[in-house]
Amino acid sequence: MAIRKIITPPNPLLRQPSLKVAEVDDTIRRLIRDMFDTMYDAPGIGLAAVQVGEPLSVIVMDTADKEKGEEPRPLALINPEVVWASEQKATWQEGCLSVPDIYDEVERPMEVRVRYLDENGEEQERHFSGLDAICVQHEIDHTKGILFIDYLSRLKRERYLKKVIKRAHGRVPNLSQT
Ligand code: GNR
Ligand code: NI
């Protein structure tokens, strides 16, 4: 078990686009294991590598609801890309381990098709719907330096950032770089 620290604003890494993984090797598979450990410990339903300080295009997720007795369904995606998104939108109350204790509604495409590499470096495509679609889009956003609060008004975003930074650091810096 290796639980890693999850970064929060104003860490500039959260705004940095992640690098594509050139080769899926044991280092990447180790990172994925640490990400699952960190995600299940938090607990969360998804995690992007950048959130543990590694700006690489790697995400993990598991939307199974243990309280409902569902079996775990861990999924790791390397270099994920949305190749199709439905016209139809869905609104979900989102949260983020990097923006702790803040929840708000975000509208996104209801279903998406995603191309990615699996842990063996094999190219895969998968269709996502429901919470899986919301989660995979939220994680792919992290690989582009995007946070869910970016979809809210500037007023809300700045209020939320101030809250998060104040709780973690006891003071609020200039928000222009968060
Ligand atoms: O644990 C998480 N829950 C969640 C709820 C609604 C929409 C997205 C998410 S992802 C989040 C974990 C996280 O921050 N992943 O980047
Ligand atoms: Ni997040």
Side-chain angles (χ1 to χ4, degrees):
M1 281 277 278
I3 294 160
R4 313 223 341 204
K5 192 174 139 61
I6 296 173
I7 63 170
T8 58
N11 190 320
L13 274 181
L14 285 173
R15 293 320 199 170
Q16 187 172 305
S18 293
L19 281 175
K20 288 267 166 88
V21 171
E23 194 195 347
V24 181
D25 57 13
D26 287 345
T27 310
I28 295 297
R29 285 184 280 267
R30 164 89 43 95
L31 171 63
I32 288 170
R33 276 217 309 281
D34 290 355
M35 287 169 64
F36 277 121
D37 290 345
T38 306
M39 181 187 78
Y40 288 124
D41 175 73
I45 59 169
L47 192 72
V50 69
Q51 293 180 275
V52 294
E54 302 279 0
L56 287 171
S57 185
V58 177
I59 68 178
V60 297
M61 51 190 281
D62 187 340
T63 59
D65 191 342
K66 273 192 195 154
E67 311 221 316
K68 283 192 191 158
E70 289 177 1
E71 287 302 313
R73 28 172 202 275
L75 183 63
L77 302 91
I78 299 154
N79 301 343
E81 263 183 87
V82 173
V83 294
W84 172 85
S86 64
E87 292 290 333
Q88 200 177 1
K89 311 285 188 208
T91 300
W92 214 284
Q93 178 98 343
E94 297 199 15
C96 181
L97 295 170
S98 291
V99 191
D101 302 316
I102 303 290
Y103 303 90
D104 212 327
E105 291 191 345
V106 176
E107 187 186 81
R108 300 181 183 273
M110 189 149 90
E111 300 186 21
V112 289
R113 191 165 180 81
V114 176
R115 183 176 300 151
Y116 62 97
L117 302 178
D118 65 19
E119 288 159 278
N120 301 314
E122 307 276 2
E123 193 169 291
Q124 305 284 352
E125 260 188 41
R126 197 177 174 113
H127 188 94
F128 292 87
S129 60
L131 180 56
D132 290 313
I134 302 304
C135 186
V136 77
Q137 291 177 83
H138 175 116
E139 303 314 334
I140 291 173
D141 274 353
H142 276 302
T143 72
K144 300 175 179 174
I146 299 167
L147 299 173
F148 83 94
I149 52 173
D150 297 347
Y151 298 105
L152 309 176
S153 68
R154 186 162 71 121
L155 181 69
K156 275 192 171 183
R157 177 168 58 256
E158 294 193 344
R159 192 191 287 147
Y160 289 155
L161 281 170
K162 274 188 189 166
K163 238 187 191 171
V164 168
I165 296 166
K166 197 165 176 180
R167 272 198 313 252
H169 301 91
R171 64 194 173 80
V172 183
N174 188 327
L175 283 177
S176 64
Q177 57 227 348
T178 60

